[in-house]
Amino acid sequence: MDYDTYGSTAVELAIALANADLEPDDGVSRFLAAHDEWFTAGTSLELTASDAHKAAATARLVRAVALAESQPDVLTRLNELLALARPRPYATDHDGELHLHYARPDAPVLEQLTTTVAMGLSQVVVQHGWQRLGVCSAEGCDDVYVDTSRNASRRYCSNTCASRSTVAAYRARRKS
Ligand SMILES: [Zn+2]
Ligand SMILES: [Zn+2]
């Protein structure tokens, strides 16, 4: 997978949002603070309760796209997510590399988040296929991932889950 474009890296924000624990009162705020490099410098990370609910709904939609098992389902859910986006792209070289941002730089943080996540996820789905999204096969983990491996062979959300599962399979074999 060509991974050197903002279009592809923005999907990482989408995956991180889908896997984040947004449940506690300040869950969304903590997520924004941990990922503030995605927002225009100086953007207020303050959210109203209703904004926090909207961010959590966006997270659920990303997850729903990753869990969808047919192309029609992917399209329905992806378009639901895209309907929340307010794209107004602009080119920038703020980090030394010329690339596109999807949301206007002075948009409120929720708009920047939703737009970046929706556009990043869509780019990967239309360019590389929805089969690139999946849910972790490790027992007790239901995190979603985007498969960036060359042969699309990924099954786990992280190396931690992959090695945990290898050990568990080894133990299971020894027992039987
Ligand atoms: Zn950038
Ligand atoms: Zn996992």
Side-chain angles (χ1 to χ4, degrees):
M1 176 184 281
D2 176 10
Y3 217 58
D4 58 2
T5 63
Y6 182 79
S8 299
T9 55
V11 73
E12 298 286 355
L13 182 66
I15 297 296
L17 180 68
N19 291 336
D21 181 11
L22 304 175
E23 279 303 316
D25 277 353
D26 63 344
V28 176
S29 297
R30 280 190 293 110
F31 178 84
L32 294 177
H35 296 86
D36 66 341
E37 76 273 15
W38 287 94
F39 313 116
T40 315
T43 302
S44 165
L45 302 183
E46 299 274 319
L47 284 184
T48 63
S50 132
D51 284 350
H53 281 295
K54 286 179 187 161
T58 297
R60 282 193 296 276
L61 268 175
V62 173
R63 188 173 171 76
V65 172
L67 294 182
E69 285 176 350
S70 72
Q71 190 148 314
D73 276 356
V74 170
L75 287 176
T76 305
R77 296 169 189 185
L78 196 58
N79 284 330
E80 221 176 301
L81 181 63
L82 281 166
L84 303 174
R86 296 283 171 274
R88 213 233 55 189
Y90 68 99
T92 175
D93 61 357
H94 69 92
D95 60 359
E97 295 274 335
L98 192 60
H99 61 285
L100 286 177
H101 278 194
Y102 296 122
R104 63 188 168 91
D106 56 346
V109 69
L110 179 67
E111 186 176 322
Q112 290 186 48
L113 174 73
T114 309
T115 303
T116 305
V117 157
M119 298 301 288
L121 192 65
S122 310
Q123 291 273 12
V124 165
V125 168
V126 299
Q127 286 175 10
H128 304 285
W130 56 273
Q131 294 88 349
R132 286 279 176 174
L133 303 168
V135 63
C136 186
S137 303
E139 215 178 301
C141 179
D142 60 359
D143 279 3
V144 295
Y145 60 77
V146 57
D147 187 349
T148 56
S149 66
R150 191 171 292 271
N151 54 358
S153 57
R154 187 162 168 177
R155 291 174 54 217
Y156 301 102
C157 71
S158 61
N159 288 335
T160 313
C161 275
S163 52
R164 195 160 59 80
S165 299
T166 309
V167 171
Y170 173 76
R171 291 210 181 110
R173 269 199 309 275
R174 292 229 323 192
K175 254 187 207 157
S176 60

